[in-house]
Amino acid sequence: MDLQLRDRVAVVTGGSVGIGLAVARGLAAEGAHLLLCARDEERLGAVAGDLRDEFGVRVVGVPADVATAAGAAAVADAAVQAYGGADILINNAGTGSEETILDADDARWYAYWDLHVMAAVRLARALAPSMKSRGGGVILHNASICASQPLGYEPIYNVTKAALVMFSKCLAEELIGDNIRVNAVNPGLVMTPDWEKTARALTEGTDTSWQDHLRQVARDNAPIGRFADPAEIANLFVFLCSPLASYCAGSTYYIDGGWLRTT
Ligand code: NDP
């Protein structure tokens, strides 16, 4: 199936590893040119080079912290400079949290708000005008199943991801008249390096291996009984970027192996 993405320009935040990298790979495989950002410049540079070599597309790596206004501006400016703007924006950068509401201070709340919500606000404000002038575009928000089915140990993550989904809905209504389709994706358990790191820490010095720990997490939560591979999540993102998804707008798509406990 031709997803009609050849020579489109996609900005992917957090594109150096995990789901963001899988989405970047999926888009590059369809012939899209990329602008990837992340904070770790070395890892980003290596990934950008690999994608260029493997897929023969243009890949620009911008080391930036999208949780800051300056970082988001640097990403948008680089997209304008390299490509004259963007056709696709994937707001993916994010991370889990661990706290109690009573112990977490204001600074912690604001840090996650800046990363999960303000980055998306600022990048939409900066890049949607170029999408309008190119005749349309796609903006996707990588939220989480936790936006509507919270995990107890990460209230700030749950709340800021729920806000991101609502932002996505509001933005969708504002931009659909300009042929810009905005959607959110809510993944469940996805096997990325962060999970391995957490599992290693939790099982260190115990009789349980980190792999067994993660198998148990999957069995306890996802009816499918396993984590997703990032590529399985990326497939949905790439499809939603395609003109073939022309009626997908203003929605939230769950991809969670059956974990969401509602109909
Ligand atoms: P990873 O930790 O594997 O990757 C995160 C990416 O984001 C990296 O490229 C990282 O690079 C970048 N990043 C993090 N913070 C910033 C920042 N402030 N500015 C710029 N780049 C940043 O994450 P996942 O792939 O697991 O998750 C990606 C998204 O998917 C997140 O929003 C997460 O909440 C969501 N998600 C993940 C699930 C999972 O099970 N893995 C489930 C549901 C949702 P660097 O560190 O160099 O900045």
Side-chain angles (χ1 to χ4, degrees):
M1 193 190 301
D2 178 9
L3 294 182
Q4 300 168 32
L5 289 168
R6 183 154 302 282
D7 291 330
R8 299 289 168 107
V9 171
V11 172
V12 183
T13 72
S16 62
V17 70
I19 300 171
L21 173 57
V23 173
R25 284 183 61 80
L27 290 169
E30 294 297 322
H33 305 295
L34 301 172
L35 185 146
L36 310 179
C37 83
R39 294 161 302 175
D40 181 335
E41 186 168 4
E42 200 178 317
R43 181 167 65 177
L44 181 65
V47 160
D50 289 349
L51 290 172
R52 249 179 247 126
D53 292 348
E54 186 172 353
F55 298 107
V57 296
R58 290 183 66 192
V59 185
V60 175
V62 180
D65 180 351
V66 289
T68 66
V75 172
D77 289 351
V80 171
Q81 203 166 359
Y83 299 113
D87 304 296
I88 294 165
L89 167 62
I90 311 286
N91 283 304
N92 164 77
T95 192
S97 69
E98 189 178 355
E99 63 277 316
T100 64
I101 293 169
L102 296 194
D103 286 340
D105 63 10
D106 288 5
R108 189 169 177 82
W109 281 92
Y110 283 124
Y112 279 87
W113 176 256
D114 281 338
L115 175 59
H116 290 155
V117 183
M118 289 313 298
V121 173
R122 289 168 176 146
L123 285 169
R125 238 170 16 208
L127 290 173
S130 71
M131 293 181 185
K132 287 185 191 185
S133 64
R134 292 154 93 100
V138 173
I139 300 177
L140 299 179
H141 297 105
N142 192 358
S144 168
I145 189 174
C146 294
S148 51
Q149 184 169 279
L151 282 170
Y153 60 84
E154 51 183 357
I156 297 181
Y157 182 79
N158 302 327
V159 170
T160 52
K161 288 294 189 173
L164 178 62
V165 169
M166 181 53 80
F167 169 69
S168 185
K169 183 70 181 168
C170 295
L171 186 67
E173 291 194 12
E174 193 167 316
L175 296 183
I176 191 64
D178 295 299
N179 193 32
I180 300 173
R181 296 183 295 102
V182 182
N183 290 287
V185 174
N186 282 352
L189 298 169
V190 188
M191 188 51 73
T192 55
D194 226 24
W195 274 107
E196 179 182 329
K197 195 170 109 197
T198 307
R200 282 183 187 277
L202 287 174
T203 54
E204 198 180 342
T206 72
D207 291 341
T208 310
S209 71
W210 66 268
Q211 294 96 331
D212 279 345
H213 170 79
L214 289 179
R215 272 190 278 275
Q216 196 56 45
V217 169
R219 276 196 295 268
D220 288 348
N221 293 293
I224 201 168
R226 64 174 178 85
F227 279 67
D229 185 274
E232 294 177 283
I233 308 300
N235 289 338
L236 177 57
F237 274 88
V238 174
F239 175 71
L240 289 172
C241 289
S242 163
L244 271 59
S246 49
Y247 206 65
C248 297
S251 284
T252 302
Y253 297 93
Y254 288 83
I255 175 160
D256 60 14
W259 188 11
L260 186 68
R261 300 287 177 205
T262 61
T263 52

